[in-house]
């Protein structure tokens, strides 16, 4: 807890320094501070200098910036005044929520329990802790090493002082990131309007549930105790766009503020590149101020806006290619290959996709998935309000309120933000259509994880909408003009709170956390502990989980992260006579095992039909009886005649509870 | 006094709202305690312990001393005819049971419907104990759905209806209560402050008019 708290304080010191030295609105500074720290660490880590990056980015930079601010003015009174001003409603709410979350997490100590936490988001964080370097540098069981590391590195910033990998600290890091984004939305209000700031902040705080608790359910929703990237990326996108919307700051200042956030967002996941571009695109519209002065166009402002946008895009591009270059150097992997079943590059995928989209008779699969995607927009429930259409209508309503009630001056800009947002949405949607068709080959027909991919965008767009309305409600305008806007804003916030009250029961929230939803993980952990003594870190393990569909495999890779557990292998022997199966299966297995240099064989969760029937000869002690409540660890021996056999090292019964 | 309240800073509203919500929570606890007391005295709410054999059950067969679900909708049904505060039971489940609910009907002959159901939740800090709160309702017939998956081996202990609660338990505070207190205090106080501003805005206009 002390480690996480120290990093939290460093964030605040840097935020304060930035506020003092640059005059950025104080509510924006926490996220800028977090992302600056993370970006520095990321750049260092790309060169294998993670530890030095942390020392420099998380301690030296914040302390120097803070001290510089502290000693800048001789006049103590001016300093005190600014220091008080720093604690605007947004910053106070950020600190309060951060402290509450820290206490809750430290008391409850939730642990990871979900599939993708084991397959990447938690696993990558754990690997960084174990090795003190990015996961690209050493062999591990993790399959998706090409996903960029911004979020796992963020967890390392908050957890590296703890002397070990603590899972709840990862949650804390994510939560701080989210709260910092929400603070940016509440920034519009200064102290005499702190009640409005509080309402907006709370509405934003409820936003993840708005998209995740779409029906009455009895299980715990993992918002705020999750290391998935979907919500953080959406919130970051909304925030990156929102900062640039309709502020009095100069173009230069706005652009500079968005740059660390955009770097971080781009390095969150492959989709971060697209979301970063969307944020820059939406923000650009905020700057077309000169259009309001038509027909007298202000060339200077237009140029500044264009330069700002170009620099944002360049930074996004640099971050993306920086990671690609790192991958190429550290792992010799070409990132432009999207993988998936089609084996297409990204550019090729988009070109083929567009050809199909406008073709009169597209491929059957493309047409079917397109139809599914269109119908999903109208029918699939993705939020407490209902379908994506309803979400877009709600967002439109928020913009309409801001447009109709807002001052005359910014009218056109608000309209532009909305229009660009809608254009971005269409682009995002079409891009996902291509992804489903060309990357998720087998899962395309059930639109796997559709809601998750979509709420990333909705979340960001919704935040931008609320931010625009909040900005209008706080804006300077002739007397009385603010009142209706404030009421409109309060009304919108009420919608969030009322829907939350309707759909979220006490048992759904993170406050109801108990370890029972990590039950399978705890069972696996128990088994891994039982054989701990006979496993050495050099062992390269093949894991056989007979009747399990893969979840346990990922949990084992997470729990036994010091070892390399090779990917699962399915023995596929078409057209082989029944009596030849054992021999051919052995050959097949030997081929696979030598390719990965497998030294040990781990069995859990039953033998499975095929192994029970054909593979028993290979074991000196039978494995069929391993069942669900025993775990067995074998040594793999390779024979000279091209076969292999397994000798038992340990077999332990593990009792379930 | 109203004039004073309108001019009060936001933090006063926060404190006021927090106290109001805490007071409401206490009143609710007292009400439930009193209501249960009167139902118990009247005999409509009684303590009872039951086992699996007291229920009509379906979609489950016996296995290894427990029951295994044969499809994804196993049910325990009982004609209860009485008021129910809580139902708690012991259940060991081979794997995560998924959503667990109790359906109830309030009139004879009514079918079970999704409008009338409550969630069953694990009791925090106690392994394998589950509880559902039916809020002192009169229940004609109830149906317990212990798992939403087929092939789940479950071992049940006793089903306790209307476990005795001490007065203190009506006022126990969970993390969820604290969460609600913070979120709703923040929000409601904001609304009140806004309302006060709107009202004072109206009086301002009136004052201006009379001043003219």
């Amino acid at each position: 807890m002390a480690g996480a708290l120290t990093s939290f304080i460093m964030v605040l010191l840097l935020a304060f320094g930035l506020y003092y030295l640059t005059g950025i609105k104080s509510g924006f500074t926490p996220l800028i501070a977090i992302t600056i720290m993370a970006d520095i660490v990321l750049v260092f880590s790309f060169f294998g200098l993670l530890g030095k990056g942390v020392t420099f980015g998380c301690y030296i930079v914040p302390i120097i910036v803070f001290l510089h601010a502290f000693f800048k003015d001789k006049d103590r009174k001016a300093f005190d005044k600014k220091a008080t001003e720093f604690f605007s409603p947004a910053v106070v709410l950020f600190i309060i929520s951060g402290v509450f979350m820290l206490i809750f997490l430290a008391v409850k100590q939730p642990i990871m329990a979900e599939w993708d936490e084991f397959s990447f988001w938690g696993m990558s964080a754990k690997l960084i802790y174990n090795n003190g370097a990015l996961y690209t540098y050493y062999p591990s069981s993790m399959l998706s090493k090409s996903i960029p590391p911004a979020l796992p590195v963020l967890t390392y910033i908050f957890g590296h002082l703890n002397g070990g990998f603590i899972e709840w600290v990862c949650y804390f890091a994510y939560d701080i990131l989210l709260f910092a984004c929400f603070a940016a939305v509440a920034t519009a209000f200064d102290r005499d309007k702190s009640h409005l700031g509080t309402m907006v902040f709370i509405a934003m705080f409820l936003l993840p549930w708005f998209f995740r608790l779409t029906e009455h359910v009895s299980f715990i929703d993992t918002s705020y105790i999750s290391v998935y990237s979907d919500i953080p990326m959406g919130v970051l996108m909304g925030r990156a766009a929102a900062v640039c919307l309709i502020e009095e700051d100069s173009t230069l200042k706005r652009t500079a503020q968005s740059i660390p956030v955009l770097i971080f967002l781009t390095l969150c996941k492959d989709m971060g590149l697209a979301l970063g571009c969307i944020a820059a695109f939406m923000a650009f519209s905020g700057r077309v101020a000169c259009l309001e002065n038509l027909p007298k166009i202000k060339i200077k402002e237009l140029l500044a806006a264009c330069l700002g946008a170009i620099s944002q895009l360049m930074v996004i591009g640099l971050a993306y290619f920086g990671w690609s270059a790192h991958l190429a150097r550290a792992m010799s992997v070409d990132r432009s290959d999207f993988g998936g079943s089609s084996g297409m590059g990204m550019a090729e995928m988009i070109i083929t996709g567009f050809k199909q989209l406008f073709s009169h008779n597209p491929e059957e699969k493309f047409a079917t998935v397109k139809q599914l995607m269109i119908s999903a927009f109208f029918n699939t429930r993705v939020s407490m309000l209902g379908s994506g259409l309803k979400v877009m209508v709600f967002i439109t309503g928020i913009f309409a309120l801001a447009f109709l009630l807002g001052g005359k001056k910014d009218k056109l800009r608000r309209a532009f933000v909305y229009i660009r947002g809608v254009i971005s949405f269409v682009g995002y949607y079409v891009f996902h259509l291509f992804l489903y068709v060309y990357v998720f080959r087998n899962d395309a027909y059930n639109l796997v994880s559709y809601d998750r991919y979509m709420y990333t965008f909705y979340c960001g767009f919704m935040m931008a909408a609320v931010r625009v309305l909040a900005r209008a409600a706080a804006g300077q305008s002739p007397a009385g003009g603010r009142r209706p806007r404030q009421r409109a804003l309060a009304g919108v916030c009420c919608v969030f709170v009322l829907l939350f009250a309707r759909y979220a029961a006490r048992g759904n929230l993170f406050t109801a956390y108990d370890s029972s939803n990590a039950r399978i993980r705890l069972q696996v952990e128990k088994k891994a502990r039982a054989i701990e003594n006979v496993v050495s870190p050099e062992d390269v393990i093949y894991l056989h989980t007979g009747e399990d569909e893969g979840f346990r495999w990922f949990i084992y890779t997470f729990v036994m992260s010091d070892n390399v557990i090779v990917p699962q292998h399915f023995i596929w022997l078409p057209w082989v006579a029944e009596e030849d199966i054992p021999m051919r299966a052995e050959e097949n297995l030997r081929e696979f095992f030598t390719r990965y240099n497998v030294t040990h064989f781990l069995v859990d969760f039953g033998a499975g039909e095929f192994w029970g029937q054909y593979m028993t000869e290979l074991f000196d002690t039978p494995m069929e009886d391993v069942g669900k409540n025993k775990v067995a660890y074998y040594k793999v021996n390779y024979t000279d005649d091209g076969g292999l056999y397994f000798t038992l090292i340990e077999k332990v019964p593990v009792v379930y509870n | 006094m109203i004039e004073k309240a309108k001019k009060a800073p936001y933090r006063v509203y926060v404190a006021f709202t927090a106290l109001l919500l805490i007071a409401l929570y206490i009143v609710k606890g007292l009400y439930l305690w009193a209501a249960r007391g009167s139902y118990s005295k009247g005999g409509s709410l009684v303590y009872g312990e039951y086992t699996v054999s007291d229920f009509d059950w379906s979609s489950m067969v016996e296995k290894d001393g427990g029951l295994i679900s044969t499809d994804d909708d196993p049910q325990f049904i009982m004609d209860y005819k009485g008021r129910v505060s809580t139902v708690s039971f012991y259940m060991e489940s081979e794997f995560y049971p998924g959503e667990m609910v109790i359906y109830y009907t309030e009139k004879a002959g009514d079918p079970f419907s999704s409008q009338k159901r409550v969630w069953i939740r694990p009791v925090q800090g106690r392994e394998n104990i589950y509880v559902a709160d039916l809020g002192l309702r009169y229940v004609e017939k109830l149906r317990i759905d212990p798992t939403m998956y087929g092939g789940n081996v479950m071992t049940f202990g006793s089903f306790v209806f209307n476990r005795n609660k001490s007065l203190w338990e009506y006022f126990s505070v969970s993390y969820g209560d604290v969460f609600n207190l913070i979120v709703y205090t923040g929000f409601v106080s904001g609304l009140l402050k806004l309302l006060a501003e709107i009202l004072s805005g109206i009086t301002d206009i009136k004052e201006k008019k009379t001043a003219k």
Side-chain angles (χ1 to χ4, degrees):
Chain A
M1 182 168 169
L5 189 62
T6 311
S7 305
F8 188 36
I9 290 168
M10 287 296 153
V11 168
L12 288 172
L13 288 184
L14 182 56
F16 176 77
L18 287 172
Y19 168 73
Y20 198 91
L21 296 174
T22 64
I24 298 172
K25 289 197 177 54
S26 69
F28 291 156
T29 52
L31 187 72
I32 298 177
I34 292 170
T35 48
I36 285 179
M37 284 160 72
D39 292 344
I40 293 172
V41 180
L42 279 164
V43 171
F44 274 80
S45 69
F46 285 4
F47 298 96
L49 300 166
L50 183 73
K52 293 199 175 65
V54 169
T55 321
F56 182 67
C58 304
Y59 299 99
I60 296 179
V61 168
I63 290 172
I64 285 181
V65 170
F66 177 74
L67 290 180
H68 184 47
F70 192 78
F71 291 112
K72 194 183 162 210
D73 281 324
K74 290 274 171 327
D75 184 5
R76 281 296 90 186
K77 266 187 191 156
F79 179 84
D80 289 348
K81 187 166 169 281
K82 270 203 142 177
T84 333
E85 278 167 7
F86 171 69
F87 292 97
S88 64
V91 172
V92 171
L93 289 164
F94 167 72
I95 296 173
I96 291 177
S97 34
V99 169
F100 268 109
M101 208 63 209
L102 181 63
I103 295 170
F104 173 80
L105 290 172
V107 172
K108 281 281 192 167
Q109 313 215 339
I111 54 170
M112 292 177 185
E114 294 199 17
W115 192 298
D116 283 358
E117 292 184 324
F118 300 124
S119 72
F120 182 77
W121 299 107
M123 179 70 178
S124 55
K126 193 173 183 188
L127 287 175
I128 291 179
Y129 280 83
N130 287 355
N131 299 280
L134 285 189
Y135 41 79
T136 43
Y137 283 110
Y138 39 84
S140 65
S141 328
M142 199 167 75
L143 298 176
S144 37
K145 283 184 187 167
S146 67
I147 299 178
L151 289 164
V153 162
L154 181 74
T155 66
Y156 186 72
I157 290 174
F158 280 87
H160 68 280
L161 281 181
N162 293 317
F165 179 65
I166 300 177
E167 287 160 44
W168 65 260
V169 174
C170 298
Y171 296 143
F172 179 67
Y174 273 59
D175 293 342
I176 288 294
L177 183 74
L178 293 178
F179 297 154
C181 292
F182 301 153
V185 180
T187 299
F189 303 101
D190 45 20
R191 223 174 263 187
D192 63 330
K193 290 274 167 288
S194 50
H195 58 292
L196 291 171
T198 311
M199 285 165 82
V200 170
F201 189 88
I202 288 174
M204 291 298 97
F205 178 67
L206 304 181
L207 193 62
W209 289 301
F210 186 81
F211 293 105
R212 292 178 49 108
L213 277 176
T214 58
E215 277 168 70
H216 290 286
V217 288
S218 70
F219 51 77
I220 291 179
D221 172 79
T222 53
S223 301
Y224 297 109
I225 43 168
S226 165
V227 285
Y228 277 38
S229 66
D230 312 284
I231 290 282
M233 284 206 307
V235 169
L236 275 167
M237 182 198 102
R239 192 279 182 195
V243 164
C244 297
L245 301 174
I246 317 169
E247 294 293 342
E248 304 92 341
D249 288 349
S250 68
T251 307
L252 175 70
K253 218 167 176 180
R254 283 191 310 236
T255 311
Q257 286 180 45
S258 69
I259 277 176
V261 183
L262 288 174
I263 296 176
F264 188 84
L265 174 58
T266 310
L267 291 173
C268 275
K269 203 183 170 185
D270 291 325
M271 193 50 72
L273 174 70
L275 294 171
C277 291
I278 289 175
F281 179 64
M282 277 172 74
F284 181 71
S285 70
R287 301 204 197 100
V288 192
C290 44
L291 277 180
E292 284 163 17
N293 304 316
L294 278 176
K296 218 175 69 191
I297 291 173
K298 287 187 186 167
I299 298 292
K300 218 176 130 196
E301 276 188 37
L302 187 66
L303 266 179
C306 290
L307 276 177
I310 290 169
S311 55
Q312 284 178 330
L313 290 179
M314 271 173 61
V315 162
I316 293 169
L318 265 178
Y320 183 83
F321 289 112
W323 174 246
S324 305
H326 169 78
L327 282 182
R329 213 163 43 95
M331 291 170 57
S332 34
V333 171
D334 181 12
R335 190 172 174 220
S336 62
D337 178 11
F338 243 29
S341 47
S342 58
M344 276 185 191
M346 171 128 84
E348 196 190 344
M349 183 187 88
I350 289 175
I351 293 166
T352 327
F354 270 111
K355 271 188 197 154
Q356 288 285 313
L357 193 64
F358 295 112
S359 135
H360 286 295
N361 38 353
E363 281 172 38
E364 199 187 324
K365 179 178 180 188
F366 193 93
T368 320
V369 177
K370 184 176 146 198
Q371 212 48 52
L372 282 173
M373 285 285 278
I374 291 172
S375 126
F377 179 67
F378 294 101
N379 302 317
T380 304
R381 202 177 162 82
V382 293
S383 72
M384 287 180 178
L385 277 173
S387 63
L389 175 71
K390 285 180 184 155
V391 176
M392 289 305 269
V393 167
F394 184 53
I395 292 174
T396 308
I398 301 175
F399 271 108
L401 284 173
F403 183 77
L404 295 173
L405 302 173
K408 231 179 186 171
K409 191 168 154 267
D410 291 327
K411 254 197 172 134
L412 202 60
R413 291 195 235 187
R414 289 190 193 108
F416 264 111
V417 177
Y418 174 69
I419 293 166
R420 303 241 174 168
V422 172
I423 295 172
S424 308
F425 175 69
V426 174
Y428 187 80
Y429 211 79
V430 170
F431 187 56
H432 276 84
L433 167 64
F434 298 167
L435 284 184
Y436 277 120
V437 177
Y438 299 114
V439 180
F440 296 91
R441 274 252 156 130
N442 302 324
D443 290 319
Y445 293 107
N446 51 17
L447 299 185
V448 64
S449 299
Y450 171 84
D451 56 339
R452 259 176 55 203
Y453 296 138
M454 286 307 128
Y455 65 55
T456 300
F457 187 91
Y458 292 136
C459 213
F461 199 17
M462 187 86 91
M463 262 181 82
V466 173
R467 163 90 188 136
V468 168
L469 184 60
R471 184 70 208 134
Q476 298 299 325
S477 65
R482 282 196 274 174
R483 282 276 152 70
R485 286 178 234 162
Q486 289 179 2
R487 277 174 234 170
L489 179 67
V492 169
C493 294
C494 277
V495 173
F496 284 106
V497 175
L498 290 175
L499 281 170
F500 171 78
R502 177 165 146 71
Y503 281 102
R506 202 165 285 196
N508 301 141
L509 308 182
F510 63 84
T511 47
Y513 176 86
D514 66 291
S515 61
S516 68
N517 60 339
R519 195 183 286 190
I520 298 178
R521 181 246 160 108
L522 289 171
Q523 287 168 357
V524 168
E525 192 141 3
K526 217 172 190 180
K527 289 184 177 172
R529 294 282 156 271
I531 53 160
E532 207 170 32
N533 301 331
V534 292
V535 179
S536 75
E538 301 87 54
D539 295 358
V540 177
I541 301 166
Y542 181 81
L543 171 66
H544 180 75
T545 52
E547 292 162 21
D548 188 69
E549 79 284 17
F551 188 36
R552 272 158 218 273
W553 187 86
F554 282 110
I555 302 177
Y556 267 105
T557 62
F558 178 80
V559 171
M560 299 173 69
S561 60
D562 285 336
N563 286 89
V564 174
I565 301 180
V566 304
Q568 279 182 304
H569 174 64
F570 298 99
I571 300 170
W572 193 60
L573 300 168
W575 312 295
V576 171
E578 174 83 22
E579 65 271 16
D580 289 342
I581 288 177
M583 202 183 77
R584 298 290 299 276
E586 191 183 339
E587 281 169 12
N588 184 302
L589 207 60
R590 159 107 185 191
E591 196 266 320
F592 177 81
F593 276 24
T594 41
R595 180 150 36 106
Y596 281 94
N597 298 317
V598 176
T599 60
H600 289 78
F601 186 86
L602 178 63
V603 189
D604 177 27
F605 216 63
E609 219 172 279
F610 183 85
W611 284 69
Q613 199 174 340
Y614 299 110
M615 310 296 269
T616 48
E617 301 271 297
L618 302 179
F619 294 86
D620 69 336
T621 324
M623 61 98 98
E624 309 91 88
D625 73 321
V626 168
K628 292 178 182 176
N629 52 5
K630 260 186 209 158
V631 58
Y633 196 57
Y634 293 87
K635 169 112 189 79
V636 179
N637 307 282
Y638 296 95
T639 56
D640 295 334
D641 60 344
L644 78 176
Y645 63 96
F646 306 115
T647 44
L648 185 73
I649 298 175
E650 182 100 293
K651 189 191 275 187
V652 199
V654 179
V655 184
Y656 278 81
N657 54 7
Chain B
M1 199 195 121
I2 294 169
E3 288 308 307
K4 230 182 181 177
K6 280 175 197 160
K7 289 194 183 92
Y10 178 52
R11 58 177 184 277
V12 175
Y13 281 85
V14 173
F16 170 76
T17 316
L19 289 175
L20 185 75
L21 290 178
I22 291 169
L24 280 175
Y25 180 76
I26 292 172
V27 169
K28 183 187 140 217
L30 281 174
Y31 168 77
L32 287 176
W33 172 74
R36 177 165 174 164
S38 84
Y39 290 138
S40 297
K41 264 197 192 133
S44 57
L45 185 142
V46 287
Y47 175 88
E49 276 183 41
Y50 304 90
T51 60
V52 171
S53 55
D54 295 317
F55 291 88
D56 296 325
W57 38 269
S58 62
S59 299
M60 286 176 277
V61 290
E62 285 181 58
K63 188 195 174 189
D64 306 336
L67 295 171
I68 181 167
S69 50
T70 53
D71 61 25
D72 54 12
D73 192 21
Q75 307 174 346
F76 291 106
I77 295 177
M78 180 186 267
D79 286 315
Y80 188 75
K81 299 188 200 307
R83 284 194 183 268
V84 184
S85 144
T86 59
V87 176
S88 54
F89 58 91
Y90 178 91
M91 179 180 100
E92 279 176 42
S93 169
E94 191 192 8
F95 46 79
Y96 181 60
E99 291 185 5
M100 302 163 69
V101 287
I102 294 186
Y103 288 85
Y104 57 86
T105 62
E106 291 174 298
K107 279 189 215 120
D110 278 1
F112 291 115
S113 86
S114 60
Q115 303 299 314
K116 295 189 172 180
R117 62 177 172 182
V118 292
W119 305 109
I120 303 174
R121 299 216 160 77
V123 175
Q124 288 189 33
R126 294 181 64 193
E127 211 134 327
N128 299 330
I129 306 259
Y130 294 85
V131 68
D133 193 330
L134 283 107
L136 301 173
R137 263 187 203 91
Y138 175 78
V139 170
E140 177 70 26
K141 194 173 176 183
L142 62 79
R143 180 185 120 190
I144 301 174
D145 292 9
T147 182
M148 60 188 279
Y149 300 112
N152 192 5
V153 180
M154 297 163 287
T155 319
F156 292 93
S158 63
F159 291 76
V160 178
F161 282 62
N162 303 326
R163 191 180 61 84
N164 290 318
K165 267 165 116 177
S166 66
L167 178 59
W168 183 242
E169 279 179 75
Y170 287 93
F171 305 111
S172 64
V173 178
S174 69
Y175 287 99
D177 294 323
V178 177
F179 176 91
N180 281 346
L181 180 67
I182 295 170
V183 168
Y184 288 109
T185 298
F187 194 77
V188 173
S189 61
L191 270 185
L192 287 177
K193 172 83 178 157
L194 189 71
L195 201 68
E197 277 189 358
I198 291 168
L199 287 175
S200 66
I202 292 165
T203 49
D204 283 351
I205 294 164
K206 272 183 193 162
E207 274 162 21
K208 269 181 200 163
K209 272 183 186 166
T210 47
K212 271 177 192 171

